[in-house]
Amino acid sequence: MSQSSKLAVDAMGGDHAPDAIIAGLDIAAERHPQAQFLIFGDEALLRPILAKCKHLTGRYELRHAAEVITGDMKPTVALRLRDSSLRRAIDAVLAGEAEGVISAGNTGALLALSKIVLKTLKGIDRPAMAAIAPSAKGDVVMLDLGLNVVYDARNLVEFALMGTVFARIVLGLPTPTFGLLNIGSEEGKGDETLRAASNTLRESPIAGQFYGFVEGHDIAAGTVDVVVTDGFTGNVALKTGEGALKLVGDLLRQVFSAGPFAKMGYLFARGALKRLRETLDPRRYNGAVLLGLNGVVVKSHGGTDALGFAHAVDVALDMIANDFNSRIADALTAMDHAILSEAPVPNQNG
């Protein structure tokens, strides 16, 4: 990561802001010694907290923002707050003062402000939200997770392109596989939009990475590295998975506290259970990314603690360091050239 890499931070967004946000930044600063931070929020509140952070010393610039976008504020209202910590952080990306922005605050406000202020990359019709989830074979990328309820085949193709680039950067996979989430794996399944997207992808530059259609159980099985779907379906799948993980954790606690023999069994299984808990720790998967915008935009879970926020910062800095948007632009150019080369040549004698 270059010395000029800088992340704009909304320090006032989130259930545990600003303490958890700044503590998370301090953890991330130790992991990324060359990163710089542009922090927005209530200066009177933030300065005493920042003074206790040894890894952030000399690595940040603090800018006062008089307004705060609350978690229950409607996006239409948030758009009118020009001096909010979230708006100022996004404006810094637009002005070129930072290469990305992170917030644990109001999701709707972050989406609305990012789309209006930063706008989408050239060639991207709609941005998509991507995040990482656990699977039997390792981490899996899922997108879209809630931005696009209305979509077409071109949007799914764009999501696939952005998702594979994201997986290369964040998961370190040179040629990640991907699939379209469907109600069945057979080619004839799904609606016309899914089938049209599948046909385009099978003729695209990333056709070799395309698995085909996948079903809901394939997400946890790790059948592919990237699961591509629309925002409505993706959000339902993500929330269902989160609920299932919580249920497993609750059941395990009940099982191992059911009686003296169960508690004895816990003593023997404690090491394995610790590894399981670390693997399924939701903080490890914190940091959803809005792909397709002119700048890196990362949404941290609002209720996360410092460690979880630090992971989201890790994701943002990885995206910046690997020049994510330029790689998306290259992938789009290759896709467009492939589509144009296959288009029928007009009859010049007409």
Side-chain angles (χ1 to χ4, degrees):
M1 187 180 302
S2 67
Q3 290 286 348
S4 61
S5 296
K6 185 174 288 187
L7 182 66
V9 182
D10 168 22
M12 308 306 293
D15 300 344
H16 307 296
D19 298 81
I21 305 304
I22 301 304
L25 278 182
D26 198 44
I27 295 171
E30 182 179 13
R31 297 173 180 172
H32 304 271
Q34 293 181 314
Q36 299 288 322
F37 303 98
L38 191 55
I39 302 172
F40 293 88
D42 187 328
E43 186 173 1
L45 285 176
L46 292 171
R47 283 212 178 277
I49 303 172
L50 286 163
K52 302 174 184 177
C53 299
K54 62 179 181 178
H55 301 295
L56 281 171
T57 302
R59 307 265 303 280
Y60 70 89
E61 179 183 345
L62 177 60
R63 295 188 183 178
H64 179 69
E67 299 171 316
V68 176
I69 295 175
T70 60
D72 59 352
M73 186 178 291
K74 293 182 179 180
T76 51
V77 177
L79 288 171
R80 296 198 290 268
L81 300 183
R82 308 287 296 197
D83 196 29
S84 70
S85 54
L86 178 57
R87 177 59 183 263
R88 293 279 304 281
I90 295 173
D91 283 345
V93 179
L94 178 66
E97 295 180 292
E99 294 153 288
V101 58
I102 185 169
S103 175
N106 187 311
T107 301
L110 176 65
L111 301 182
L113 283 165
S114 298
K115 290 168 71 175
I116 290 173
V117 175
L118 300 179
K119 299 181 173 51
T120 57
L121 289 166
K122 183 180 180 180
I124 295 292
D125 181 43
R126 296 172 183 268
M129 180 178 286
I132 300 170
S135 81
K137 295 181 180 179
D139 294 338
V140 58
V141 173
M142 294 180 62
L143 77 163
D144 177 33
L145 298 177
L147 289 192
N148 300 282
V149 177
V150 179
Y151 64 100
D152 58 23
R154 173 69 188 188
N155 298 144
L156 292 176
V157 172
E158 291 175 357
F159 297 168
L161 280 170
M162 293 190 292
T164 54
V165 175
F166 179 80
R168 290 206 303 269
I169 291 173
V170 177
L171 301 185
L173 302 173
T175 54
T177 58
F178 68 97
L180 292 172
L181 190 60
N182 202 346
I183 57 173
S185 58
E186 300 86 355
E187 289 191 16
K189 291 287 187 176
D191 58 21
E192 183 179 344
T193 301
L194 276 168
R195 293 195 297 272
S198 176
N199 291 336
T200 299
L201 289 166
R202 290 189 187 282
E203 301 298 327
S204 74
I206 54 174
Q209 299 165 237
F210 183 39
Y211 179 88
F213 294 136
V214 294
E215 299 179 71
H217 62 81
D218 288 308
I219 301 173
T223 302
V224 292
D225 302 310
V226 181
V227 176
V228 180
T229 184
D230 64 276
F232 183 91
T233 307
N235 190 271
V236 171
L238 178 69
K239 297 297 173 60
T240 301
E242 289 176 347
L245 288 177
K246 184 178 184 301
L247 175 62
V248 169
D250 292 343
L251 290 175
L252 284 173
R253 279 189 289 272
Q254 292 176 27
V255 167
F256 285 108
S257 61
F261 289 107
K263 293 178 180 177
M264 186 179 299
Y266 170 77
L267 293 176
F268 288 105
R270 184 166 51 187
L273 289 171
K274 180 181 179 182
R275 290 192 296 273
L276 176 63
R277 185 168 58 249
E278 290 172 350
T279 299
L280 301 181
D281 188 344
R283 297 176 299 180
R284 180 172 173 265
Y285 302 98
N286 187 40
V289 184
L290 275 63
L291 307 179
L293 295 168
N294 284 296
V296 171
V297 180
V298 174
K299 172 65 175 73
S300 167
H301 193 287
T304 195
D305 61 8
L307 189 60
F309 191 78
H311 182 80
V313 174
D314 291 342
V315 173
L317 292 175
D318 283 345
M319 301 280 281
I320 292 171
N322 286 280
D323 201 8
F324 176 77
N325 284 346
S326 292
R327 295 171 72 170
I328 288 292
D330 292 342
L332 282 168
T333 300
M335 174 69 76
D336 289 339
H337 285 170
I339 293 173
L340 288 173
S341 66
E342 294 169 5
V345 178
N347 187 341
Q348 300 296 327
N349 296 325

